[in-house]
Amino acid sequence: FGGSSLATAERMREVANIVCLFKDESPIVVLSAMGKTTNNLIIAGEMAVDCKSSEVRELEPLRTIVDLHQKTMEELEIDSATREDVESLLDELSQLLVGISLLKDLTPRSLDSLVSFGERLSTRIFSGYLKALGIPSLQYDAFDLGITTTDQFTNGDILYDVSMERVEKSLKRFASRAEVYGNGSEKEMLPVVPVVTGFLGKGEKTGAITTLGRGGSDLTATFLGMTLEIDEVVVWKDVDGVLTTDPRVVPEAVPIPLLTVEEAAELAYFGATVLHPQSMQPLLEKQRRRRGGSVGEEEDGGIADDFRVRVRNSYNVSAPGSVICAGHRDMQESLLTSIILKSGVNMLDIVSTRMLGQYGFLSKVFRVFEDLQISVDVVATSEVSVSVTLDISKVWARDLKNEELLVLEKSFEGLATVELRTNRTIISLIGN
């Protein structure tokens, strides 16, 4: 469940109702932070750098975070043990912000620790609420479960083999666990529902908290589904599925009932905000591993249904949503799957007659981007020019700043002439 599905105590009640629909299927629940908590944590960190340590506890975004979680616990009548756990985390959050204020520095490592509080708070409250409803539940921080990543703070990559082994051991230990609930003749054995933090991992070498990039809770869910060989992962959003285009631009957009994993990956990468760009990796990884061994049979020559992701609307539970599977599908009667817009894009035209018939020129061009740690989305080349579009967020917390763009332009001096075009849009036609 994403942040908008958990924005208030009332929304948490709705999410709990959805979980209860699946309680006989031993669900595992993966949660994002509540509402705008992640944004507020980032803003609080940036403000802490510029304020006195004595003023940190009065920062407006911090007060907003504290008030939201305390109010939610009160409205949901959370038990005292969970309240103490959450209050302890809120105090730890304040202490971290004081440390950032004293050092006058917000490093990527500190930023990951800071934003991790959103998921750590929401999962504890939700797990406590499930227990209040009579549903046995245990809260897990993903980094304690064994999700291990590269040490690239703010955008860690999951290390599949080591993470799969550790997570499987951690969660399968509780797969058959049940607890007795009820009184007298009403007693029954109920399976424990794990509630796991999305978005988070642990650095392979540092052992520090890392994050999977903005929207990484989707990736956490699909990774757990792959690891535990679960048939279906349901990603709950605030739209009726993956749509044919952006409904804010075309209100007549409709859900796509069935997509291949390749189509979904392209959609996510080129701007379909309903999916995290990396969230399809576990499906692609499972597809790759199957091809490495024995490839399973496909239903009716179409998509194999051994592991699928379904995108559904937490505000409209009756909508069937969109199903994403490995394999192929019949496209004879459809021209396109979707039309996607990715706005706010910076485009760089790089022109040099030196590249005509020369080798190594493109290597030099992309070394500039590597040195500046800037990701490139789309590349087009001709005999004497290269045009690239730049990922709008060098670091997922913020857009590329004007001064950084000027540094980028200057880096090509002596190599090529460049022209920067800002505020462009990539229009992608996704087919099969």
Side-chain angles (χ1 to χ4, degrees), residues 312-362:
R312 296 183 63 180
N313 191 347
S314 64
Y315 292 80
N316 181 17
V317 181
S318 61
S322 301
V323 176
I324 303 165
C325 295
H328 304 282
R329 67 185 181 95
D330 186 0
M331 291 288 287
Q332 291 181 356
E333 296 183 3
S334 56
L335 178 64
L336 291 173
T337 300
S338 185
I339 301 176
I340 299 299
L341 307 177
K342 188 171 185 177
S343 301
V345 173
N346 298 304
M347 186 171 79
L348 199 67
D349 291 329
I350 306 163
V351 181
S352 176
T353 54
R354 292 184 184 184
M355 69 179 287
L356 190 62
Q358 297 295 313
Y359 61 85
F361 180 80
L362 286 178

Side-chain angles (χ1 to χ4, degrees), residues 409-420:
E409 286 186 272
K410 198 168 183 179
S411 298
F412 284 99
E413 287 183 358
L415 179 64
T417 59
V418 298
E419 181 180 357
L420 180 68

Side-chain angles (χ1 to χ4, degrees), residues 59-90:
L59 291 175
E60 184 177 348
L62 176 59
R63 292 308 320 160
T64 299
I65 293 166
V66 171
D67 291 345
L68 172 64
H69 290 86
Q70 289 179 338
K71 181 181 178 183
T72 300
M73 288 193 293
E74 185 177 336
E75 290 186 27
L76 297 180
E77 299 180 351
I78 300 299
D79 64 276
S80 58
T82 301
R83 282 175 180 260
E84 288 178 12
D85 196 8
V86 170
E87 291 291 351
S88 176
L89 270 182
L90 289 171

Side-chain angles (χ1 to χ4, degrees), residues 70 243 259 281 374:
Q70 289 179 338
L243 303 181
L259 303 92
Q281 276 187 351
I374 294 176

Side-chain angles (χ1 to χ4, degrees), residues 384-415:
V384 295
S385 69
V386 182
S387 294
V388 299
T389 62
L390 308 179
D391 192 332
I392 59 172
S393 52
K394 176 183 171 186
V395 178
W396 53 261
R398 58 180 173 77
D399 292 342
L400 284 166
K401 295 179 179 178
N402 288 333
E403 55 266 30
E404 290 176 304
L405 293 173
L406 291 173
V407 169
L408 176 60
E409 286 186 272
K410 198 168 183 179
S411 298
F412 284 99
E413 287 183 358
L415 179 64

